[in-house]
Amino acid sequence: MSDLSLHTGRSGPLTRLSDWLWRNPRMLILLLLTPPALWLGIIYLGSLFALLAQSFFSIDEFSGLIVYEFTLKTYGELFTPANFDIIVRTVVMAAAVTVAAALISFPIAYYAARYAKGKWKAVFYLGVMLPLWSSYLVKVYSWKLILAKEGILNWLFEILHMKWLLEAYLAIPVIGGNSLSVSWTGTFLVFLYVWLPFMVLPIQASLERVPTSMLEASGDLGANPGQSFRYVLLPLALPGVIAGSIFTFSLTLGDYIIPQIVGSSRRFIGQAVYSYQGTAGNIPLAAAFAVVPIVIMGVYLWVAKRKGAFDAL
Amino acid sequence: MHSDRASLGLKIAAGAGLAFMHLPLLLIFIYAFTTEDKSYQWPPPGLTLKWFSVTWSRPDVWEALSLSVRVAAISTAIALVLGTLCAAAVSRTKFFGREAVSLMVILPIALPGIITGISLRSAFNLADIPFSFWTIVLGHATFCVVVVYNNAVARFRRTSGSLIEASMDLGADSFQTFRHVILPNIATALLAGGMLAFALSFDEVIVTTFTAGQQQTLPIWMLEELVRPRQRPVTNVVAMVVVLVTFLPILGAYYLTRGTDTVAGQGK
């Protein structure tokens, strides 16, 4: 290479640097990676580990100051009834949102993957993309409008003369409440709405890869549509469902804004983290709480990887 | 199930699903014109354009908007550089730790935003860094890298390595090859990634609440209104404008990457 550059009359430090990089591809990789690795390594991983380290400290109950000594006491506090309730509640909510999102997404994804052609393909694609990328807060806000006492949902129940049905539903303990906007049902609806597009895309991606001939073969061999779905389509689409569930589950676990705006006063993990680090100033407990979604997601991702979900991302 | 026509049940379920995703957004558009300013009354008692001019003359909305745009622009620029470098390294060769690099890029978006947020905040506290424009940018650029990275990696994978070799064989050095061969090939992918990164940063609220201090980006302004509604009509108008503004980069990114096997934006 250097011989050639002599012949063609190329010289100058830039050319020499370029030739040197060409001969040393490892150095090129190193140079390419250094800036992003420094940025993400120092700013992101650095602060993440600093936070996690703080979960092994504890807070002095009298002075309210952080005691910088290694202890597992803060993790123990996670298992007091009040805190453990928060964790269970959040995980149940995340699971419910994930299941509902999968049920609603499947027909959309299936239609888009198998039947939508040409223009309709684009309509379905953008139809999922636009809500996915629309402002998170605007989406939450739209539900505040819908669920408000004077809002459209109550109005609909009223003109359909179904007000009694809504009231009977709200009278159910746990999922009901004074009105939809301060009930868990409200929180659930908003979570479902906001994370739904994250479920549709991976399911659609995995369904696109199911050859039509497989379903035809299943039918030819005597399976009815239900059986084809149960024994052929669903197993092949499962990686996509799991990939989507990673998003819906993880996003629900960490959110603190939705339950604060639409929901009851009973808190979720995100709200607990937020209030412990803020007004309470109990960074160690906030950090320990933050570890909970990380651990849950770690286990979840490990299982998902074994099921082959990452090929569908 | 094996016919070429969808069953009626499937059509209804798919249509209803799409409607569920879009009707709430449409509702925002109607509320922007309502004459009611004390409650979220439905149906609107009347329609008016008054709130658009009221919003137009609000300095706090303009300041928040300007901060959001500046933060998004700088964060996108940083993410473009870092994301492209990472993608170039990962897609060109297999090297030790390649998986770790892609994991590190994806992590800020895979973990809940609140974790990124309080990590950064406690790190700023430990290092005695006061909140400023740059603390917001620091957070935003970190999670924007992944969007650019995803788009660039997909394009690098489709760009044949022999193009680069041919350019070098014809006497171009690495920089000329980058300028005249690689850049034109990946330009649309970078543009699409940049647009999505901009949209992501422009809309971000969870990390921003931890890194902004007293400053107000547009999402933070909206969050305040959501928690304590004081000026509902102005919020309605801002919400509608935000929806319209975020649609533009998404449509743009879609048309730029259409026809390639990976379309932009799938991995938000």
Side-chain angles (χ1 to χ4, degrees):
Chain A
M1 200 73 194
S2 52
D3 284 344
L4 188 70
S5 58
L6 281 178
H7 285 302
T8 50
R10 296 194 313 177
S11 58
L14 268 186
T15 315
R16 254 179 284 136
L17 175 65
S18 144
D19 289 347
W20 182 76
L21 285 177
W22 182 251
R23 268 179 274 120
N24 297 285
R26 276 165 187 284
M27 288 310 291
L28 177 62
I29 299 286
L30 195 68
L31 276 182
L32 287 174
L33 274 182
T34 307
L38 280 181
W39 182 285
L40 290 169
I42 294 177
I43 296 175
Y44 184 68
L45 292 180
S47 16
L48 190 62
F49 285 122
L51 176 78
L52 297 184
Q54 299 200 48
S55 67
F56 293 103
F57 301 146
S58 64
I59 199 151
D60 189 292
E61 275 155 37
F62 298 105
S63 60
L65 294 174
I66 298 171
V67 184
Y68 293 96
E69 271 171 26
F70 177 84
T71 170
L72 289 174
K73 194 181 121 210
T74 313
Y75 279 101
E77 276 177 51
L78 287 182
F79 294 95
T80 58
N83 287 339
F84 197 68
D85 263 6
I86 295 180
I87 296 173
V88 172
R89 183 180 302 146
T90 313
V91 172
V92 169
M93 175 63 85
V97 169
T98 301
V99 171
L103 289 178
I104 299 182
S105 299
F106 207 92
I108 306 176
Y110 188 62
Y111 192 91
R114 182 137 149 68
Y115 296 106
K117 297 269 177 326
K119 196 181 79 185
W120 280 104
K121 194 107 191 160
V123 168
F124 265 87
Y125 184 76
L126 287 174
V128 179
M129 251 1 206
L130 292 180
L132 172 69
W133 283 89
S134 308
S135 165
Y136 162 84
L137 280 175
V138 170
K139 284 187 273 190
V140 180
Y141 184 65
S142 72
W143 279 88
K144 199 171 164 133
L145 300 175
I146 293 171
L147 297 175
K149 263 214 162 74
E150 66 277 14
I152 188 166
L153 205 59
N154 276 305
W155 174 79
L156 268 180
F157 275 108
E158 194 124 4
I159 60 163
L160 294 174
H161 301 290
M162 306 257 275
K163 200 92 181 147
W164 55 272
L165 188 68
L166 181 65
E167 270 156 23
Y169 180 82
L170 286 173
I172 304 173
V174 183
I175 55 173
N178 280 335
S179 80
L180 274 177
S181 57
V182 293
S183 70
W184 277 355
T185 308
T187 320
F188 167 79
L189 281 172
V190 184
F191 271 134
L192 176 64
Y193 176 72
V194 173
W195 309 138
L196 186 62
F198 290 88
M199 183 63 104
V200 180
L201 287 175
I203 296 186
Q204 190 184 339
S206 69
L207 284 176
E208 302 260 8
R209 271 177 256 162
V210 177
T212 322
S213 54
M214 283 220 183
L215 297 174
E216 281 164 4
S218 156
D220 290 347
L221 292 170
N224 64 34
Q227 286 171 320
S228 292
F229 175 79
R230 170 71 188 77
Y231 295 105
V232 181
L233 192 62
L234 200 58
L236 288 169
L238 199 62
V241 177
I242 296 177
S245 72
I246 294 172
F247 291 111
T248 53
F249 206 81
S250 156
L251 291 166
T252 311
L253 278 186
D255 196 277
Y256 73 95
I257 289 180
I258 291 174
Q260 181 192 350
I261 290 170
V262 177
S264 67
S265 55
R266 285 163 294 190
R267 296 186 300 172
F268 286 83
I269 291 181
Q271 291 166 291
V273 173
Y274 188 72
S275 62
Y276 280 126
Q277 68 83 38
T279 43
N282 191 345
I283 296 272
L285 188 53
F289 251 116
V291 171
V292 174
I294 298 181
V295 169
I296 294 176
M297 284 322 293
V299 174
Y300 204 109
L301 289 175
W302 180 72
V303 174
K305 200 176 167 96
R306 293 192 47 171
K307 297 264 177 201
F310 290 108
D311 308 330
L313 277 176
Chain B
M1 184 149 282
H2 46 262
S3 68
D4 281 337
R5 299 280 302 276
S7 69
L8 188 64
L10 179 64
K11 274 186 185 163
I12 293 174
L18 272 191
F20 174 67
M21 287 200 274
H22 287 270
L23 289 180
L25 288 176
L26 287 178
L27 198 66
I28 295 265
F29 283 69
I30 300 171
Y31 267 97
F33 297 96
T34 183
T35 44
E36 171 66 43
D37 63 344
K38 294 282 182 293
S39 75
Y40 300 122
Q41 190 192 340
W42 182 269
L47 298 173
T48 172
L49 285 169
K50 183 176 104 186
W51 305 119
F52 285 84
S53 65
V54 171
T55 311
W56 186 267
S57 53
R58 286 285 296 269
D60 54 336
V61 175
W62 282 108
E63 273 163 35
L65 178 69
S66 140
L67 180 63
S68 278
V69 169
R70 279 181 292 139
V71 167
I74 305 277
S75 308
T76 303
I78 297 173
L80 272 174
V81 174
L82 297 179
T84 314
L85 287 176
C86 242
V90 165
S91 58
R92 281 196 59 175
T93 37
K94 287 193 167 29
F95 58 90
F96 180 72
R98 187 163 168 256
E99 299 271 303
V101 170
S102 39
L103 179 70
M104 188 171 73
V105 173
I106 293 167
L107 210 56
I109 212 127
L111 289 181
I114 189 166
I115 294 176
T116 312
I118 62 170
S119 312
L120 287 174
R121 183 183 199 132
S122 70
F124 293 150
N125 278 343
L126 288 175
D128 257 336
I129 302 173
F131 294 118
S132 70
F133 174 77
W134 293 103
T135 52
I136 307 181
V137 169
L138 228 49
H140 282 207
T142 304
F143 59 72
C144 283
V145 172
V146 64
V147 194
V148 177
Y149 170 84
N150 277 347
N151 277 285
V153 154
R155 185 62 62 89
F156 270 124
R157 223 175 267 151
R158 291 175 357 102
T159 308
S160 160
S162 53
L163 274 180
I164 298 168
E165 283 163 14
S167 155
M168 302 292 244
D169 286 349
L170 292 169
D173 63 31
S174 307
F175 302 101
Q176 288 169 322
T177 305
F178 178 77
R179 167 73 188 80
H180 296 290
V181 178
I182 301 177
L183 203 55
N185 263 303
I186 61 168
T188 49
L190 290 188
L191 191 56
M195 283 180 171
L196 295 175
F198 191 93
L200 191 59
S201 160
F202 188 75
D203 177 40
E204 216 293 328
V205 63
I206 294 197
V207 177
T208 319
T209 47
F210 291 97
T211 56
Q214 297 300 313
Q215 308 164 86
Q216 274 197 329
T217 61
L218 201 58
I220 300 231
W221 183 91
M222 273 213 69
L223 181 62
E224 301 256 302
E225 283 305 311
L226 274 172
V227 180
R228 278 176 291 277
R230 273 185 303 241
Q231 37 228 341
R232 294 164 207 249
V234 177
T235 316
N236 291 336
V237 172
V238 170
M240 185 185 112
V241 172
V242 167
V243 171
L244 287 176
V245 168
T246 37
F247 275 12
L248 295 177
I250 303 317
L251 289 174
Y254 171 72
Y255 282 105
L256 282 172
T257 52
R258 198 171 42 154
T260 61
D261 35 335
T262 338
V263 188
Q266 282 184 331
K268 182 176 176 180

